[in-house]
Amino acid sequence: MSDRITYYLAVDIGASSGRHMLGWMENDKICLEEVYRFPNGAVKKNGSLCWDGEALYTHLIEGLKACRKKGKIPSYMAIDTWGVDYALLDENGALIGSLTAYRDDRTVGMDDEVRCFVSEEELYHRTGIQKLSFNTVYQLMAHKLQKPEELANAKTFLMVPDYLNYRLTGKIAVEYTDASTTALLNVQTGDWDRELIEKLGYPAEIFPAISKPGTLLGGLKPEIAQAVGFDLQVILPPSHDTASAVLALPTEREDAAYLSSGTWSLMGVERTEPANDEGSRLSNFTNEGGFDMRYRYLKNIMGLWMIQSVRRELDGQYGFGELSAMARATGEPPCRVNVNDDAFLAPESMIEAIKAVCGKPGMTLDEVLAVIYYSLAEAYRDTLDELEARTGRKLGALYIIGGGSQDTYLNELTAKISGRQVFTGVVEATATGNLLCQMLATGVFADRREARETVARSFDVKETIVTI
């Protein structure tokens, strides 16, 4: 029977790990199988925090070989990653410098430099993108001021997933949803705002044309196809991981918001028109690109990065379930923190950073964990309230998708504190959305609604029951 199955491969790469997920249709449901997993992480290189592009490429190839070993050869594949980070290529297509990571401190003060050319009000009106210190617009200003020779020698600008696609296929393409995170796309046209780019002093000619999700790039380079033992067609998914995750929502309810829960928490609603007004800017909402040219009107919240950092600081001696249980047993903590405080972006010690912001150096580990949980849940509630105020929608439901949806305690706290129905169930949302786009592009589904109906019956979507 396997020779009659069409396999699709989603390569989903996050800040700490990546995986190759095979997907196929069986009994009118989506089936998933992880075939390869690999570590990822930013490392110091020549004084900067960078991604290891060669390691990522090697893992891409090894994951394809793993598919062959399983005897499940994909006909199509697509790559998604985090946003904002980019690669510069020279005239020969070689990488210039490194793939600098967004958590690198090179962007400190770059918002002031950008304001010399364009006000924050104008930047938001043009792009609709929430101000974050690591947005590409600020990274490029750092590049321009700190390594001008690299920018001067650049012939092509690619986002990270576009760079990996280029390594596999030799084709140059920049996908829309990931490009929208740069704060360099015009929010109305969905194309590069070349007037803005030139105003900032960036070389406008290095930015390739924008391609929509579902675009077929073509086959692997011949030498790669030979090395892995087969060829396939590479498709552009919504290559920003959150855009893929949102495509995998199991609903189209108008009164529902979504929370893509992982290292970052991305909470918002889908819109057919952007909201790049001054109120949205002051509330720090963003208008990122989505599938079908819909807008992901959302706010970036620091998310499970705080818990992940605590676990790493403790050398992994506790599992996430154990940390969650410790927070649950503690109950309400002695203080709250603003989870989006820059103090939590990349501290040497997350535990000490939380104690310092709380002004309570004697807090126990259990109390620190409780602070994180309650602060996140209250941030979710506040963001839902803001979304209602900004959109005029009554939001009675929140769909939590992604790996963070498995944290039962956080889900219960969110339901209790926000007063909304909370639904979970699509744990592998990003990979699923990546696969959905491939299937939409190849005619498996007629449209987005049909794809989402299939998600709803393929996974165990259920309402969170509050027991606390």
Side-chain angles (χ1 to χ4, degrees):
M1 181 177 177
S2 63
D3 60 344
R4 296 196 299 272
I5 294 176
T6 299
Y7 291 106
Y8 298 81
L9 178 65
V11 181
D12 173 27
I13 307 176
S16 60
S17 67
R19 62 265 180 83
H20 291 54
M21 297 284 290
L22 280 172
W24 66 94
M25 294 297 298
E26 190 172 307
N27 298 324
D28 212 24
K29 293 182 179 181
I30 301 167
C31 298
L32 302 176
E33 180 183 353
E34 181 181 302
V35 295
Y36 184 76
R37 178 176 286 267
F38 57 93
N40 188 32
V43 295
K44 280 288 185 180
K45 181 179 178 181
N46 299 324
S48 297
L49 203 58
C50 301
W51 306 107
D52 189 338
E54 287 306 309
L56 290 175
Y57 171 74
T58 298
H59 285 302
L60 284 179
I61 303 304
E62 291 305 310
L64 289 170
K65 291 178 179 178
C67 293
R68 184 191 64 197
K69 290 177 183 177
K70 282 187 171 288
K72 297 180 177 179
I73 307 299
S75 299
Y76 305 93
M77 72 170 287
I79 303 171
D80 66 75
T81 76
W82 63 95
V84 306
D85 290 342
Y86 61 90
L88 297 178
L89 306 184
D90 65 18
E91 60 185 3
N92 298 315
L95 179 67
I96 297 175
S98 302
L99 298 177
T100 305
Y102 62 87
R103 292 188 189 276
D104 184 70
D105 62 5
R106 67 174 175 166
T107 55
V108 173
M110 290 303 114
D111 55 342
D112 292 331
E113 297 294 339
V114 167
R115 273 196 298 269
C116 293
F117 301 93
V118 57
S119 68
E120 289 184 358
E121 293 83 356
E122 181 184 353
L123 183 62
Y124 188 83
H125 179 72
R126 283 177 175 270
T127 68
I129 295 301
Q130 168 188 13
K131 182 186 175 183
L132 294 167
S133 61
F134 48 73
N135 284 346
T136 317
V137 64
Y138 302 122
Q139 291 198 49
L140 278 168
M141 183 58 70
H143 221 137
K144 171 186 167 184
L145 297 178
Q146 298 165 13
K147 297 182 179 179
E149 70 287 352
E150 290 189 357
L151 204 55
N153 291 328
K155 298 301 178 184
T156 307
F157 169 98
L158 295 175
M159 302 298 285
V160 168
D162 305 319
Y163 171 67
L164 296 175
N165 284 328
Y166 170 71
R167 293 290 301 269
L168 290 178
T169 68
K171 303 289 180 60
I172 296 289
V174 173
E175 188 275 324
Y176 164 65
T177 67
D178 207 32
S180 75
T181 69
T182 62
L184 293 171
L185 254 61
N186 184 287
V187 71
Q188 299 292 344
T189 67
D191 200 357
W192 297 115
D193 190 326
R194 297 190 183 274
E195 181 181 357
L196 170 65
I197 290 169
E198 291 175 355
K199 183 182 289 192
L200 291 166
Y202 308 153
E205 67 278 4
I206 71 174
F207 294 88
I210 299 294
S211 297
K212 294 180 181 180
T215 298
L216 182 68
L217 283 186
L220 301 173
K221 292 179 179 177
E223 62 271 23
I224 295 176
Q226 183 176 5
V228 301
F230 61 92
D231 198 4
L232 47 62
Q233 295 295 301
V234 178
I235 294 175
L236 294 182
S239 60
H240 184 219
D241 49 13
T242 308
S244 273
V246 170
L247 177 56
L249 284 170
T251 183
E252 291 218 334
R253 287 175 55 172
E254 281 297 311
D255 69 336
Y258 59 79
L259 172 60
S260 179
S261 181
T263 300
W264 286 91
S265 290
L266 297 308
M267 181 181 285
V269 296
E270 288 187 295
R271 298 174 61 109
T272 56
E273 297 291 334
N276 56 332
D277 56 284
E278 185 64 4
S280 292
R281 184 186 75 84
L282 292 174
S283 297
N284 218 18
F285 279 96
T286 202
N287 295 268
E288 294 174 352
F291 186 80
D292 270 354
M293 300 304 289
R294 290 156 73 90
Y295 294 90
R296 292 177 288 123
Y297 186 66
L298 61 83
K299 180 171 287 190
N300 286 269
I301 303 168
M302 191 73 77
L304 301 185
W305 163 252
M306 301 176 76
I307 299 170
Q308 293 166 355
S309 297
V310 169
R311 181 172 184 264
R312 185 167 50 252
E313 190 173 337
L314 298 171
D315 295 323
Q317 60 182 291
Y318 298 102
F320 288 113
E322 292 173 293
L323 296 176
S324 178
M326 292 162 68
R328 183 190 286 267
T330 304
E332 192 162 345
C335 65
R336 310 288 193 276
V337 296
N338 173 8
V339 296
N340 285 330
D341 191 313
D342 282 348
F344 307 130
L345 187 60
E348 288 189 15
S349 167
M350 183 65 72
I351 294 171
E352 294 306 317
I354 291 169
K355 290 180 180 179
V357 171
C358 284
K360 295 182 179 295
M363 278 199 301
T364 65
L365 173 62
D366 294 25
E367 288 175 326
V368 167
L369 291 166
V371 167
I372 295 174
Y373 273 88
Y374 266 81
S375 298
L376 278 173
E378 291 183 4
Y380 297 160
R381 175 202 59 200
D382 294 345
T383 303
L384 283 166
D385 292 345
E386 285 184 287
L387 280 166
E388 287 190 339
R390 297 306 320 161
T391 64
R393 294 189 201 175
K394 181 64 177 176
L395 300 173
L398 176 66
Y399 282 77
I400 304 180
I401 55 179
S405 67
Q406 299 174 97
D407 194 321
T408 304
Y409 180 50
L410 184 55
N411 297 339
E412 289 189 46
L413 268 184
T414 301
K416 179 180 179 179
I417 291 173
S418 73
R420 272 83 169 187
Q421 287 181 293
V422 170
F423 295 89
T424 63
V426 189
V427 175
E428 301 291 355
T430 300
T432 300
N434 179 319
L435 293 165
L436 289 179
C437 183
Q438 296 181 57
M439 292 177 178
L440 282 158
T442 55
V444 175
F445 305 121
D447 54 27
R448 183 191 68 251
R449 182 176 296 275
E450 183 183 342
R452 284 178 168 168
E453 288 172 352
T454 305
V455 172
R457 65 173 174 268
S458 299
F459 302 100
D460 184 19
V461 179
K462 57 188 177 183
E463 184 176 355
T464 295
I465 305 301
V466 178
T467 63
I468 53 177

